[in-house]
Amino acid sequence: TYTTDTKSREENKKTIENLYRLSVDIKKIRRLKEWILFQDVAYVKEIAGILQEMGADETTVANILERCPEAILHTPGEINAQRALWQLVCQNENQLIKLIEQFPESFFTTQYHENQKANILFFQELGLKNNIITRFLTSTPSIFYNPVEKNKNVVETLQMNYLRLGGSDANMKIWILKLLSQNPFILLNTSTTIQETLEFLQKNDFSDHEVLRLLSKLKGFLFQLTPTTMQKSMLYSKNVFKCSDKELKQLVLKCPALLYYSVPVLEERLEGLLKEGISVAQIRETPMVLELTTQIVQYRIKKLSALGYDIKSGTLESLNGTKKDFEVNYGKIQSKKERPIFNPVAPVPMED
């Protein structure tokens, strides 16, 4: 462990010299994390040596130390232990050094070493592939800082609820692995919040089968919500679309965004659509359009308008979907517009 308190008000000359020899931009460190240069003890040569052993060239070493200068405050023993740990899921040291260069802060967080190790082994036992675990280590490292019992508890709660809601034993493993792969942040929740969220949906007349459907559709985002925020979003949608509870439920199943976006986000997106001349009735017919940001909607409407497609009188389906989905729809409309009109009874011109 290290502290951000500066022990002396003078920079450590030895640290500066060693960093300079490695072509590290010292001005950058002074600007962003000057306190590191005041520490009495630093392991510049040793940490650079370990990175070079793994295959890092001079530029890579300098880049890593500039982005995460805290690395030099760790002992060689701590870094070697971390290296051995990440090797459990990396194919080789070449892949490992690339990950360190991209995500140095994740690699050089060593104070949860035992928890990290226990969680890696737990995820492997669960059946998660190593490439997914490395993605977790770099994108959501905080889930490895939890005691392994906490993560096990959340996974067990999910499995129990999956079966309780009518899921089958045979599909449970695939379901849980897919859910975790799509949204590992689910592990930052507690078993209690997961239980409360599911109970809220059932109290709002969603059947077991429908809750299970929502769980899969939301890819785990459901568990970042609270009953209070979901209640507010549902009430807002009910007022906007002037629909009954039963109709609202169908809209939510069609477009879970109505459940997981906050009221301010829904308001902003709805206003953006109305400004483009789109009616509430059209949005109610195709609520999935609310999953798109106002900027994306404006861009897509502009592109379609250039082809003479009037979004106000047509369906909003052509606006929907991912970037790829939209490009496919746009291509179809474009080719339809450009296709020459063929008259089947017109005489075919013949050469003499």
Side-chain angles (χ1 to χ4, degrees):
T1 58
Y2 49 83
T3 173
T4 54
D5 294 332
T6 51
K7 292 182 182 176
S8 66
R9 289 311 302 168
E10 278 186 23
E11 287 183 351
N12 185 326
K13 286 191 177 72
K14 192 179 171 189
T15 300
I16 301 291
E17 282 168 19
N18 288 333
L19 288 170
Y20 183 76
R21 283 196 194 103
L22 292 164
S23 305
V24 172
D25 184 346
I26 297 162
K27 284 180 186 174
K28 194 174 179 183
I29 297 176
R30 281 196 184 111
R31 195 171 66 249
L32 300 172
K33 294 179 179 176
E34 190 186 24
W35 61 272
I36 289 166
L37 303 174
F38 290 113
Q39 302 302 309
D40 293 337
V41 180
Y43 302 93
V44 182
K45 283 183 183 174
E46 295 86 343
I47 302 310
I50 293 170
L51 293 171
Q52 284 160 350
E53 269 177 40
M54 285 189 262
D57 59 22
E58 189 182 319
T59 310
T60 304
V61 171
N63 187 28
I64 291 169
L65 298 184
E66 281 166 16
R67 284 190 58 198
C68 185
E70 296 94 322
I72 64 172
L73 303 182
H74 291 291
T75 66
E78 286 172 333
I79 299 311
N80 276 321
Q82 197 74 340
R83 174 185 179 179
L85 186 64
W86 281 48
Q87 280 174 327
L88 293 173
V89 287
C90 286
Q91 293 168 352
N92 49 47
E93 291 209 316
N94 186 37
Q95 186 200 5
L96 176 53
I97 203 70
K98 280 180 183 170
L99 287 174
I100 297 170
E101 189 176 12
Q102 283 179 285
F103 309 96
E105 291 86 359
S106 300
F107 179 79
F108 290 108
T109 302
T110 62
Q111 61 262 53
Y112 304 98
H113 184 81
E114 289 309 313
N115 284 356
Q116 286 184 60
K117 186 174 183 179
N119 279 306
I120 285 173
L121 297 174
F122 166 60
F123 292 140
Q124 286 177 328
E125 283 165 23
L126 201 60
L128 279 168
K129 291 181 178 171
N130 284 342
N131 64 322
I132 302 288
I133 301 173
T134 53
R135 180 157 60 79
F136 288 2
L137 276 168
T138 53
S139 62
T140 47
S142 50
I143 65 172
F144 292 87
Y145 308 158
N146 289 334
V148 71
E149 291 73 25
K150 196 260 178 197
N151 285 338
K152 278 183 180 175
N153 199 247
V154 171
V155 168
E156 282 164 10
T157 302
L158 289 167
Q159 290 171 326
M160 181 190 74
N161 278 294
Y162 177 76
L163 294 173
R164 185 178 62 79
L165 293 166
S168 70
D169 260 318
N171 291 331
M172 185 174 69
K173 187 179 177 180
I174 295 167
W175 180 81
I176 195 79
L177 293 179
K178 195 175 178 186
L179 192 65
L180 291 173
S181 302
Q182 289 170 330
N183 187 12
F185 288 103
I186 198 169
L187 292 165
L188 298 177
N189 284 282
T190 64
S191 306
T192 313
T193 49
I194 289 172
Q195 209 63 49
E196 283 172 357
T197 301
L198 297 175
E199 282 169 11
F200 167 82
L201 290 170
Q202 288 176 305
K203 280 175 191 168
N204 279 272
D205 293 328
F206 285 92
S207 68
D208 288 354
H209 174 70
E210 287 165 343
V211 173
L212 203 54
R213 207 169 115 202
L214 276 173
L215 281 184
S216 301
K217 264 192 164 186
L218 286 162
K219 300 174 184 173
F221 291 113
L222 185 63
F223 300 115
Q224 290 169 20
L225 304 170
T226 65
T228 312
T229 57
M230 287 190 284
Q231 185 73 61
K232 284 177 182 172
S233 296
M234 284 173 75
L235 190 62
Y236 172 76
S237 298
K238 189 180 176 181
N239 291 334
V240 165
F241 297 120
K242 296 179 173 55
C243 56
S244 65
D245 288 342
K246 196 176 177 182
E247 287 167 332
L248 176 65
K249 198 176 79 166
Q250 290 311 310
L251 283 173
V252 168
L253 288 168
K254 206 173 177 183
C255 175
L258 296 176
L259 201 62
Y260 65 78
Y261 281 138
S262 65
V263 172
V265 171
L266 291 171
E267 273 177 338
E268 186 207 337
R269 293 188 179 185
L270 192 82
E271 278 170 27
L273 289 163
L274 296 176
K275 274 180 191 170
E276 296 293 334
I278 292 163
S279 68
V280 172
Q282 280 177 295
I283 301 166
R284 181 173 166 170
E285 196 61 39
T286 316
M288 294 80 74
V289 78
L290 290 167
E291 291 175 357
L292 306 169
T293 66
T294 306
Q295 289 80 5
I296 291 172
V297 166
Q298 285 169 344
Y299 167 77
R300 292 183 181 183
I301 288 174
K302 199 175 175 183
K303 280 198 83 172
L304 291 168
S305 297
L307 294 179
Y309 185 89
D310 184 12
I311 202 77
K312 295 170 200 172
S313 56
T315 169
L316 301 185
E317 287 293 338
S318 48
L319 283 179
N320 265 347
T322 60
K323 186 181 177 183
K324 192 179 175 183
D325 296 334
F326 173 72
E327 293 301 337
V328 169
N329 282 332
Y330 177 78
K332 284 178 185 173
I333 294 167
Q334 192 176 33
S335 60
K336 199 174 179 182
K337 187 174 183 276
E338 290 169 357
R339 198 179 298 138
I341 297 166
F342 173 65
N343 184 351
V345 292
V348 179
M350 300 288 284
E351 286 184 18
D352 293 334

